[in-house]
Amino acid sequence: MGCLYVSLGKRRDQRGPRFSGRGTNKFLFTISIILFVLTTSHWIIQILRSADAFIANTSGGPDAYYDDIANPKDVAKTVLYIAQTLVGDLTMIYRLYMVWGRNWKVVVLPSLFTLGFVVVGSAVSASFAGLANGRVVLNTSTVGRLVVAVFTTTLVTNLVVTGLISYRVWSIYRRISAMMQRKMDSPLGHQLSTLSSRALVSILCVSSSL
């Protein structure tokens, strides 16, 4: 909801109480809506699966229920995860494109990894849905490798994008500090350091999810 507020809000002109005229950021608004819908749907399915595993399930107990990843609800959860991750990766690629002055060459590599993520993610979802026995899927070489490829492609995308954004921010600050002879304790230095810190947090978050 906070993202929606920022996306829909208009910035006030610092010179007075009137709005500056800058309207809704349509891109951020659209991304926020899509992620909100996907995340909410994901949690609804998780709640339904918990109810099925601990309340409605009478054969094998919760462990047996969660082991069966060919279950339609589990397949839907996987599809939603793929969709959420795809939207997030595309958003990061868009940010990279903007930070590098709309240079399309810099987004070619992460875009290729994202395309690979779509391919292997679709293959994993289709494999889960077509299983006769979902309990043995991770022991099979083909599907197991596809699952590893899903996490690998999105991790590499995040590392590449975050690294390039951090390098761009650092190089811009270095040029500005050389021209203006400012030190890192300047307001600009604090802002750029914050951006670099957020980039590092992004790397750690993605790494911890594996």
Side-chain angles (χ1 to χ4, degrees):
M1 298 306 294
C3 292
L4 293 178
Y5 174 80
V6 173
S7 300
L8 289 172
K10 295 183 178 181
R11 295 184 178 180
R12 294 180 179 273
D13 194 335
Q14 295 180 354
R15 295 172 297 178
R18 295 178 301 174
F19 287 109
S20 62
R22 183 175 179 178
T24 302
N25 187 320
K26 295 182 180 179
F27 175 78
L28 290 179
F29 175 72
T30 303
I31 293 299
S32 298
I33 290 294
I34 293 174
L35 287 177
F36 178 78
V37 172
L38 291 175
T39 304
T40 302
S41 302
H42 187 276
W43 276 105
I44 290 174
I45 291 179
Q46 289 286 55
I47 293 173
L48 293 176
R49 292 180 70 237
S50 297
D52 290 342
F54 293 96
I55 300 176
N57 183 37
T58 58
S59 58
D63 290 339
Y65 178 85
Y66 284 119
D67 285 342
D68 185 13
I69 57 179
N71 185 292
K73 290 187 178 69
D74 198 283
V75 174
K77 176 183 68 69
T78 302
V79 172
L80 288 172
Y81 167 77
I82 298 296
Q84 290 178 69
T85 306
L86 176 61
V87 173
D89 289 352
L90 290 176
T91 303
M92 291 189 64
I93 293 174
Y94 173 79
R95 290 179 57 200
L96 175 65
Y97 174 73
M98 298 301 292
V99 167
W100 278 81
R102 302 177 184 271
N103 184 357
W104 63 269
K105 295 180 181 179
V106 78
V107 301
V108 171
L109 182 61
S111 297
L112 291 176
F113 280 107
T114 300
L115 179 61
F117 172 80
V118 173
V119 173
V120 295
S122 301
V124 167
S125 300
S127 299
F128 284 3
L131 286 173
N133 184 0
R135 295 180 178 83
V136 298
V137 59
L138 295 181
N139 294 326
T140 63
S141 58
T142 302
V143 180
R145 290 173 182 173
L146 287 175
V147 172
V148 173
V150 166
F151 289 103
T152 301
T153 49
T154 185
L155 174 60
V156 172
T157 300
N158 278 267
L159 291 175
V160 171
V161 172
T162 305
L164 289 174
I165 291 177
S166 300
Y167 173 77
R168 181 67 169 176
V169 171
W170 173 80
S171 61
I172 290 175
Y173 172 70
R174 186 177 182 180
R175 289 198 299 267
I176 293 176
S177 61
M179 290 185 299
M180 304 181 66
Q181 297 182 351
R182 291 184 178 180
K183 297 181 180 180
M184 282 297 294
D185 59 354
S186 65
L188 178 60
H190 284 301
Q191 293 176 10
L192 296 177
S193 298
T194 301
L195 290 175
S196 300
S197 299
R198 296 304 303 171
L200 179 60
V201 170
S202 177
I203 296 177
L204 295 177
C205 288
V206 175
S207 301
S208 63
S209 65
L210 297 180

